Amino acid sequence: MAEAHQAVAFQFTVTPEGIDLRLSHQALSEIYLSGVRSWKKRLTRLKNSVITGVYPASPSSWLFVVIAILATMYTRSDPSMGLIAKIQEHLPVSESMSTQCQAVVSAVLFSTMLWLLLIFTMRLCLKQLLSYHRWMFEQHAKMSTTTKIWVALVRIFSGRKPLLYSYQGSLPNLPVPTIKDTVKRYLESVRPLMDDTGYERMTKLAAEFESSVGNRLQWYLKLKSLWAANYVSDWWEEYVYLRGRGPIMVNSNYYGMDFLYVTPTPIQSARAGNSIHAFFLYRRKLNREEIKPWLLRSAVPCCSYQFERMFDTCRIPGTLTDTVQHWQDSDYIVVYHRGRYFRLKVYQAARLLSPREIEFQIQRILDDPSPPSKGEANLGALTAGDRIPWAKARTKYFSSGVNKRSLDCIEKAAFFVSLDDDEQGMMGDDPAASLDRYAKSLLHGKCYDRWFDKSFTVIYYKNGKNGINAEHSWADAPVLAHLWEYTLATDSFQLGYNAEGHCKGNVDSSLPRPQKLNWEIPPECEVQISQSLAVAQAIADDIDFHVFSFRDFGKGKVKKCRVSPDAFIQMALQMAYFRSRKTFCLTYEASMTRLFREGRTETVRSCSNESSAFVRALEGGEAADVCRRLFHSASEKHQLLYRCAMTGAGIDRHLFCLYVVSKYLGLESPFLKEVLSEPWRLSTSQTPIQQVELFDMVNYPEYISCGGGFGPVADDGYGVSYSIVGENMINFHISCKHSCPETDAHKFGAEIRKAMNDLIQLLSPNQHESSKPEPSSTEAKKDQ
């Protein structure tokens, strides 16, 4: 109870003489400083709102316009063409305001209106410029004159020193493709997957849809696109993520890994101290909007709205649909260890705790001998099981009293931390198998030691390794990857550790101890927890994972063949799948649509007529020249599909929204129903490194992350995530289900390796292929 008392400003005791009231000066001081910190943040947000609101102009430009107008007035000229005089006529007559003063006020009002008109015009021009996407379909080294002029104009109208959200008001809306184009592209995408009879049947269904309900559904979508910032994103979040009633563990959440060959310190609490501090440094930059907007080709801005809900966010279960709730600036995190939950404040007297102080507090939790309360140990399994039982249990058992206070503490925390007693990473006599275990641990853990509803959970292992598990509804992987890259780099290259492996700095030993959360779990709730755990455990046990680093070659050698590395990998995946299953499948590759306001993702259907023709030719023993020609045709087709997806001309989001409208209208469409029910047996995604400047690949090549991964989308399919690291390495994360006899993650990984080497041999037959050596013992330090 001692730590609870320290959080109370007023202590009182009832005595026979009356109430004895005592003030805690330390607590009052804490309240005052917390208020100061809160007001500073409000002022910072207000200032950023003003700067962003007038972007691409600056607040100081208002003063320039006012001075310019006043200067012209004193030269006896009227730049307003009589408008200043009109304004002066309609000003409220005031005895204390002279004629000259009225003229100055009128000039200032006119200057302000002129300034706002200029801002509106600049934004409109920038929005029109950003609607031009032909640049994406040109080779970077062969830019047309039109595109060069366009780039120059974009830079002129983009202003200087943009904040994170500066471009939001200037981004174009996602366009609605025509029904005709979408249907045509869809039929082309499914041709290699169907025989003649099936394709003819689908063609008839598509023609019937296009000539009947399609145009009516399209009208509603166009109306929404005129009214809403993005005609896809809100429905995508709601129906694809939040309305799903199955478990989000494995099926929705994804993970990110630590450095592959290096563990900066073997001390669990020290690793947590540095990286937790780095997380809050990032949040400070985020609140101040100091994170630079992502610019393609250093000129074209991407939407940043997904960053808003990164911290202080939790998914709340509901019986019909979940919701995503976001709070403002929690000053604490919740830490899980051995079945117990602790509230750890990371601010003291309005000051962010140093890494050494956070390490000290984490060590206190690790050393705490108290057992979990009754029913507490497996409580997190509620977030891993089905959503409806969790929603009902939350309403029945966590809506009042101590349970509500503790649950509110978890849900409103900045993020969730799990201290794991296991050791993970590339280690031991079988490093390949250890990476597989590492991936499974990050994806689902023990099914009760993560809080899967939080925007993200950070996991720290006993040997100093760490990782991250993320809920998917609030944002896509590249947004969280941006945070993760910053944290890894700050942890190792800026904060660092002392010779003993502890965080640098001193400790204030008077810090209040982390507060253990209390629970009163009734037996009926314990039954529900056990049931949710059983559901989640069955899912976790069924997941087969294989993670490996492909080091035979990387994007450097692929680029020498004048091929896109992403297209190269996608063709290798098509080859691997065909060799393992003797057929092709509907293939999903995630592409971003953040060139548009509130854009999220679009699907690239990587299995095309061109890719299937190439694979069949290669497997059929066609001549190498023929195969090379077909490969380049397939690669160019893939690049075209990717660019179409990025520029709003994709297929699947349009068809998805048409289906949603049809449900609202109560219309049945056999075509849409069949399209939306097709399984993605090969779901793929690339995890790009966005902040290359944070990592020194030359001097510290061992400080590379292994990327991240996700579970399989189809019961009989694969989930494949890959990360292109530097010039000579590609990391793969492959998932599938043990329950499907036709899938095997390790066999599929071997097929991918073989396909990659076969492709590079086909494209560079005269080059001697040499395998890159495995990392030396110094590269694998602290992990063996």
Side-chain angles (χ1 to χ4, degrees):
M1 292 297 291
E3 62 271 18
H5 287 164
Q6 293 184 40
V8 180
F10 299 96
Q11 302 175 12
F12 62 91
T13 306
V14 178
T15 67
E17 292 76 24
I19 296 178
D20 177 21
L21 183 64
R22 291 173 293 166
L23 295 177
S24 170
H25 295 288
Q26 179 184 358
L28 286 175
S29 174
E30 188 73 27
I31 290 172
Y32 166 76
L33 292 171
S34 179
V36 170
R37 172 172 164 264
S38 177
W39 276 104
K40 283 182 178 179
K41 288 182 177 179
R42 291 182 186 181
L43 291 174
T44 300
R45 287 195 183 99
L46 178 62
K47 181 193 73 172
N48 289 340
S49 296
V50 172
I51 294 173
T52 301
V54 302
Y55 198 83
S58 63
S60 59
S61 63
W62 172 82
L63 186 60
F64 174 80
V65 174
V66 170
I67 293 173
I69 295 298
L70 290 174
T72 55
M73 286 180 63
Y74 280 105
T75 60
R76 303 287 184 180
S77 60
D78 184 6
S80 69
M81 294 182 291
L83 284 175
I84 292 178
K86 288 286 186 183
I87 295 172
Q88 187 172 348
E89 289 177 12
H90 292 85
L91 278 177
V93 178
S94 173
E95 295 179 359
S96 61
M97 187 179 292
S98 65
T99 304
Q100 185 177 6
C101 185
Q102 290 182 26
V104 171
V105 171
S106 300
V108 170
L109 289 173
F110 171 77
S111 302
T112 302
M113 290 188 291
L114 178 63
W115 179 64
L116 292 173
L117 180 62
L118 290 172
I119 292 172
F120 176 78
T121 303
M122 291 179 69
R123 279 194 174 185
L124 189 62
C125 291
L126 183 57
K127 192 169 187 175
Q128 292 300 315
L129 287 169
L130 295 178
S131 299
Y132 170 85
H133 295 122
R134 209 174 82 187
W135 61 273
M136 191 173 289
F137 297 88
E138 298 174 352
Q139 293 184 19
H140 190 56
K142 298 179 180 179
M143 195 180 294
S144 67
T145 304
T146 303
T147 300
K148 289 178 181 177
I149 295 172
W150 170 79
V151 170
L153 289 172
V154 167
R155 287 175 175 164
I156 290 171
F157 283 97
S158 289
R160 297 173 63 247
K161 297 181 179 178
L163 298 176
L164 177 62
Y165 303 119
S166 291
Y167 291 109
Q168 292 303 99
S170 301
L171 291 172
N173 289 4
L174 183 68
V176 182
T178 65
I179 291 282
K180 182 178 180 181
D181 287 346
T182 295
V183 169
K184 179 182 176 183
R185 292 191 183 107
Y186 169 78
L187 291 173
E188 185 181 353
S189 72
V190 297
R191 186 64 187 95
L193 310 176
M194 297 179 176
D195 57 23
D196 293 341
T197 303
Y199 183 72
E200 184 179 351
R201 173 181 161 277
M202 184 55 72
T203 302
K204 289 179 179 178
L205 285 176
E208 181 184 345
F209 168 75
E210 190 175 349
S211 61
S212 56
V213 299
N215 289 327
R216 184 181 175 190
L217 303 179
Q218 179 79 346
W219 184 86
Y220 282 95
L221 278 192
K222 286 184 176 179
L223 184 63
K224 185 185 178 186
S225 70
L226 294 174
W227 176 250
N230 190 295
Y231 81 94
V232 175
S233 294
D234 58 337
W235 285 350
W236 186 254
E237 180 177 307
E238 179 180 359
Y239 293 107
V240 171
Y241 295 117
L242 299 180
R243 289 224 178 187
R245 302 294 79 198
I248 61 175
M249 183 200 79
V250 173
N251 297 324
S252 179
N253 286 30
Y254 56 94
Y255 68 86
M257 280 186 169
D258 192 7
F259 294 124
L260 185 58
Y261 299 115
V262 167
T263 304
T265 176
I267 302 174
Q268 185 178 19
S269 58
R271 191 72 195 282
N274 258 9
S275 59
I276 290 172
H277 184 84
F279 277 119
F280 280 92
L281 291 180
Y282 186 95
R283 191 179 76 165
R284 180 186 296 169
K285 290 168 67 73
L286 184 62
N287 289 339
R288 295 175 179 175
E289 300 184 31
E290 294 173 352
I291 297 170
K292 295 179 180 178
W294 187 22
L295 302 178
L296 293 182
R297 296 200 180 178
S298 304
V300 187
C302 293
C303 181
S304 302
Y305 99 101
Q306 294 183 54
F307 284 83
E308 295 174 357
R309 299 183 293 180
M310 183 177 289
F311 294 92
D312 322 297
T313 296
C314 191
R315 176 171 175 157
I316 307 299
T319 52
L320 294 178
T321 180
D322 293 356
T323 56
V324 176
Q325 289 195 14
H326 173 68
W327 293 270
Q328 291 293 336
D329 297 331
S330 300
D331 63 355
Y332 67 92
I333 57 175
V334 168
V335 181
Y336 172 92
H337 179 240
R338 291 183 180 174
R340 305 155 307 161
Y341 295 83
F342 295 85
R343 182 180 187 270
L344 171 57
K345 287 195 67 174
V346 292
Y347 282 88
Q348 177 75 5
R351 171 187 64 85
L352 177 62
L353 297 185
S354 69
R356 186 70 182 89
E357 289 171 327
I358 297 176
E359 176 190 350
F360 175 71
Q361 295 289 68
I362 293 291
Q363 192 61 50
R364 279 178 159 180
I365 293 174
L366 290 171
D367 296 338
D368 190 315
S370 62
S373 58
K374 187 174 182 295
E376 180 184 11
N378 297 336
L379 181 63
L382 289 172
T383 68
D386 290 313
R387 304 304 292 174
I388 293 177
W390 171 209
K392 291 180 177 179
R394 187 178 186 275
T395 301
K396 188 173 182 179
Y397 306 114
F398 298 89
S399 58
S400 63
V402 64
N403 286 349
K404 184 181 189 306
R405 290 193 293 272
S406 295
L407 181 61
D408 282 349
C409 186
I410 292 176
E411 292 178 342
K412 295 179 181 180
F415 54 90
F416 191 84
V417 168
S418 178
L419 302 176
D420 203 309
D421 285 337
D422 295 336
E423 295 186 357
Q424 297 291 351
M426 182 183 285
M427 58 187 185
D429 298 331
D430 192 351
S434 66
L435 274 182
D436 300 344
R437 291 192 298 270
Y438 183 22
K440 282 179 64 66
S441 176
L442 289 175
L443 186 63
H444 55 67
K446 298 179 179 68
C447 302
Y448 56 81
D449 53 352
R450 319 278 185 255
W451 200 266
F452 294 101
D453 286 355
K454 283 299 288 181
S455 54
F456 63 91
T457 295
V458 191
I459 302 101
Y460 298 97
Y461 294 100
K462 191 175 182 179
N463 59 340
K465 218 67 180 168
N466 70 1
I468 195 165
N469 179 288
E471 201 277 317
H472 208 327
S473 66
W474 63 274
D476 299 309
V479 175
L480 191 74
H482 194 276
L483 164 68
W484 191 235
E485 289 171 9
Y486 175 90
T487 303
L488 290 177
T490 303
D491 171 15
S492 298
F493 303 132
Q494 294 185 26
L495 300 176
Y497 301 87
N498 61 24
E500 290 78 29
H502 292 284
C503 298
K504 298 175 182 177
N506 300 315
V507 178
D508 179 4
S509 57
S510 67
L511 288 172
R513 296 183 65 87
Q515 178 185 354
K516 186 178 181 298
L517 300 186
N518 296 314
W519 307 89
E520 295 176 357
I521 309 295
E524 306 85 41
C525 186
E526 288 189 70
V527 172
Q528 182 55 62
I529 292 172
S530 298
Q531 291 175 353
S532 294
L533 180 58
V535 170
Q537 194 64 59
I539 294 173
D541 292 343
D542 195 24
I543 292 298
D544 181 21
F545 238 103
H546 182 42
V547 180
F548 67 94
S549 291
F550 183 84
R551 298 180 63 90
D552 295 355
F553 57 88
K555 71 175 182 181
K557 181 161 287 189
V558 174
K559 284 184 174 180
K560 289 179 181 178
C561 301
R562 297 185 177 181
V563 175
S564 157
D566 184 69
F568 182 93
I569 294 171
Q570 286 292 327
M571 293 307 109
L573 293 176
Q574 291 298 314
M575 283 180 61
Y577 189 88
F578 184 81
R579 286 171 171 175
S580 64
R581 302 286 287 270
K582 307 306 178 186
T583 186
F584 296 104
C585 71
L586 198 60
T587 305
Y588 183 112
E589 181 186 6
S591 165
M592 68 97 172
T593 55
R594 288 170 59 194
L595 292 173
F596 304 95
R597 192 171 182 179
E598 297 186 13
R600 290 199 59 161
T601 61
E602 178 57 275
T603 305
V604 180
R605 295 184 168 225
S606 301
C607 182
S608 63
N609 290 316
E610 290 79 2
S611 67
S612 58
F614 159 69
V615 172
R616 289 186 188 281
L618 188 66
E619 293 302 289
E622 294 284 349
D625 289 343
V626 173
C627 291
R628 274 193 289 271
R629 177 176 54 80
L630 290 173
F631 174 86
H632 284 291
S633 175
S635 174
E636 290 170 5
K637 178 67 174 187
H638 179 267
Q639 286 296 93
L640 176 64
L641 293 174
Y642 203 99
R643 290 162 180 160
C644 286
M646 288 184 66
T647 54
I651 301 170
D652 289 278
R653 300 303 176 266
H654 186 205
L655 292 171
F656 161 76
C657 288
L658 290 170
Y659 181 76
V660 172
V661 174
S662 73
K663 288 301 179 183
Y664 277 128
L665 297 178
L667 299 174
E668 286 295 329
S669 169
F671 172 72
L672 289 177
K673 185 177 181 180
E674 187 152 339
V675 168
L676 271 295
S677 63
E678 292 170 342
W680 300 96
R681 291 191 173 88
L682 187 55
S683 182
T684 72
S685 179
Q686 181 187 170
T687 306
I689 297 178
Q690 303 169 72
Q691 303 168 89
V692 182
E693 69 278 2
L694 296 180
F695 302 92
D696 187 349
M697 295 291 188
V698 177
N699 297 318
Y700 301 98
E702 68 274 18
Y703 282 86
I704 50 176
S705 170
C706 198
F710 52 89
V713 174
D715 291 338
D716 58 347
Y718 292 101
V720 181
S721 175
Y722 52 93
S723 178
I724 301 173
V725 184
E727 296 294 308
N728 302 298
M729 184 177 182
I730 303 171
N731 294 321
F732 286 91
H733 300 246
I734 305 168
S735 64
C736 63
K737 294 189 176 183
H738 289 297
S739 56
C740 177
E742 297 179 334
T743 58
D744 185 302
H746 290 76
K747 289 182 179 178
F748 193 59
E751 292 289 2
I752 292 174
R753 287 190 189 91
K754 185 176 186 303
M756 295 278 286
N757 282 303
D758 288 348
L759 280 184
I760 203 68
Q761 184 63 40
L762 173 71
L763 298 177
S764 52
N766 298 322
Q767 297 184 27
H768 176 68
E769 303 296 334
S770 59
S771 298
K772 193 173 181 64
E774 289 298 315
S776 64
S777 58
T778 58
E779 288 179 320
K781 62 184 178 180
K782 300 182 183 178
D783 279 317
Q784 299 298 324

